[in-house]
Each structure stands twice: as C-alpha cells, then as structure tokens.
Amino acid sequence: MERKAIVIGASGQIGSELVLALRKKIGISNVVSCDIKEPKSSSILKDGAFELLDVIDGEALKKVVKKHEITEVYLLAALLSATAEKNPMFAWKLNMEGLFNVLNLAKDGLVNKIFWPSSIAVFGPTSPKEDTPQKTIMEPSTVYGISKLAGERWCEYYYSQYGVDVRSLRYPGLISYKSMPGGGTTDYAVDIFYKAKKGEVFSCFLSEDTALPMMYMKDAMAATLNLMEAPAESLTIRSSYNVSSLSFTPSQLSNAIRHIKPDFKISYAPDFRQKIADSWPASIDDSKAKEDWGWEPKYDLESVVAEMLDKIEVD
Ligand code: SER
C-alpha cells in the first residue's frame, strides 16, 4: 500500500526536518505538512501540500486526513517543558487532546500508523539518574512530563485494546540548525551555537555541571524513520522507546565549541529551568531500541559541534 503521511506541527524544530526527510523518502506528493500557523511564502513546507489546522479540532483533522487519504500521522504539535510550566492547563489540553484526536483516527480505521514523540521528561527526581532504564520509577515533576507519561500509557492502551499501531520515542534534547526549538529546557544546546557563531558571550540558563541527554537532529530523524519502518512484530514496547546518543553539560559543550572557536565565552545564570533539568536523567539506557529495531546513533559531540558551527546561519 502506498504511504501517505501528514506531519502535524510541521513548522516546529522537529516537524520542519521530518517533512523534508519524509518527502525524500516517500515523495513530495505523499507528505502533507500541517501547522496552526501559515508558513512563510518562502518556506520549503510550501513545496508540497500544506493544511492550516489546530490539532485540538478533531473534526477538522478528520476532514484533512480523509481529503488526502492519509495512511500515517506524525503528531509533533505540543507545548514543551518550560512553556508548559507557565501554562499548565493549556499544555495538558493541547498535549492530551491532540493525542486523543490522532489515536482515534487510527481506532476508527482512518489511518494505519501513528508516530508520537514522548520525552526524557517522563522521568523524574526519583528515577535513576545515570543510564536510566526503559522501565523504572517514573514520577515526573513537570506538567510536560506528566502529559508525556499519561500519553505513553494511552498509546499502550490503544495498542492493546484497539490494535492501534502507534510508535513512539522518548526524545532527548534535540540539536539542529534548520529551525529553532521553542519553550524547552534543552534549548540552550541550540542557542549556544548562534552566540558562538556571532562571536557573542552566551548566558546559559542552566548551571555548568547540568548533564542532560541530547541527540543530533539527523540521528533523531533516522531513529524516527527506522522505528516507523520496523516490522510491527519486532516491537516489544508500545509506550515509548528510550533512545540515547549524547550526554553532556553546558561546560563540556562550551569546551567542545572552544576547540573550534577558541575565543568563545559562556556565563551562567540558572533560572526556573534549572529545576526542570535537575529532575531529568543525565544519561539513558537504550538497549531495548538497539535490540528491537537496530537503533544506532552516528554523531558524537565533536561531529555535532563541527557541523553546527559550519551550518547554522546568523545575520
Ligand atoms: N527538549 C524537550 C524540552 O526541553 C524535552 O523533551 O522540553
């Protein structure tokens, strides 16, 4: 059967790259991008079909999915950790209702596969901090983490009760140069490159020794596409897979930047996001993803730093 995908939240940090990656894989005419905001006329999203849509509007979503005869949905529209703390009720509404609207499309037989990202935020202060296992204590202390953990339980429920083929990854902080992240606690690891490239001092909102799991966007795209193409019978996790790649502190990242830009300077001014970061793992055990569908990251810290400094565009 021909694949026809829709990426919801297509203008965001992950969405904008996923649209491109999918279009390369299954063809421009087989990938519909969708966002709550109209993209700029120069946006590459405009190369193929675009739909203006609020994912909370289940009926509108259904219409779009029927119109384009969509077979798989990638749901990326969500409020991230820092923004969610500022607007907990809206974060809960968007993150949960969006997921239900998409899960119900599959339950009603309109689409046959779903990708929905979870996050390292599902873990909390009582989870083991190093090499956090796939299955462990999960008591998230952020609104975002609570919504992702609840979402994971619903994904597993829809799989076991209704046979919905939903697949998920617990993304770490994602580092990319095409679109900016927005509202996350790991965003510093992208912002830092813009300052470094401009030759400006970077003021970091996390303390120098805060280690967090991170991943380069190209690895994240490979993980997403591979997971979606894996044979259903090889998947043993229907909540969400741990995936790991890098783990570093702001100080380690700035040292790596200094290898290329020796004059780079960083200062530290931790804010409310420090508490969020402190509640998350420092590193992740992803052996299940390796075992089940052959996950293997390619980028290490040095190659990420070199490519980021080379590719990001600053005015
Ligand atoms: N990058 C996300 C955030 O910081 C974590 O999933 O909110």
Side-chain angles (χ1 to χ4, degrees), residues 11 26 37 87 106 120-121 131 147 172 181 188 195 244 264 279-280:
S11 301
I26 61 175
K37 280 186 242 136
N87 201 344
I120 53 160
D131 285 328
S147 76
Y188 92 85
K195 293 288 184 189
S244 155
F264 174 65
S279 78
W280 288 353

Side-chain angles (χ1 to χ4, degrees), residues 13-14 79-83 118-122 144 148 170-174 181-188 205 212-214 276 280:
Q13 187 202 10
I14 305 172
L79 237 52
L80 293 192
S81 59
T83 325
S118 183
S119 160
I120 53 160
V122 291
Y144 177 67
K148 288 295 183 187
R170 289 174 182 153
Y171 284 141
L174 298 180
T185 302
T186 56
D187 296 7
Y188 92 85
F205 58 73
L212 285 171
M214 300 276 182
I276 301 177
W280 288 353

Side-chain angles (χ1 to χ4, degrees), residues 206-311:
L206 297 181
S207 67
E208 62 183 316
D209 52 0
T210 309
L212 285 171
M214 300 276 182
M215 185 181 287
Y216 196 43
M217 186 61 87
K218 286 186 184 167
D219 275 330
M221 289 300 99
T224 308
L225 299 181
N226 291 348
L227 175 68
M228 288 301 273
E229 284 174 5
E233 56 283 5
S234 66
L235 305 179
T236 59
I237 307 280
R238 291 297 185 151
S239 50
S240 189
Y241 278 96
N242 277 7
V243 276
S244 155
S245 174
L246 315 166
S247 171
F248 56 75
T249 65
S251 148
Q252 288 165 332
L253 178 57
S254 58
N255 285 339
I257 290 175
R258 241 173 256 122
H259 285 146
I260 298 178
K261 291 205 156 269
D263 295 336
F264 174 65
K265 286 195 179 58
I266 183 167
S267 64
Y268 297 94
D271 65 13
F272 74 102
R273 288 168 280 194
Q274 182 66 47
K275 199 170 153 208
I276 301 177
D278 287 342
S279 78
W280 288 353
S283 61
I284 297 283
D285 171 14
D286 59 358
S287 40
K288 264 282 156 214
K290 290 186 161 129
E291 229 171 272
D292 286 3
W293 46 276
W295 160 240
E296 204 51 67
K298 292 202 167 58
Y299 281 80
D300 60 11
L301 183 57
E302 282 63 42
S303 47
V304 171
V305 169
E307 196 162 303
M308 284 294 288
L309 288 174
D310 180 42
K311 294 279 169 76

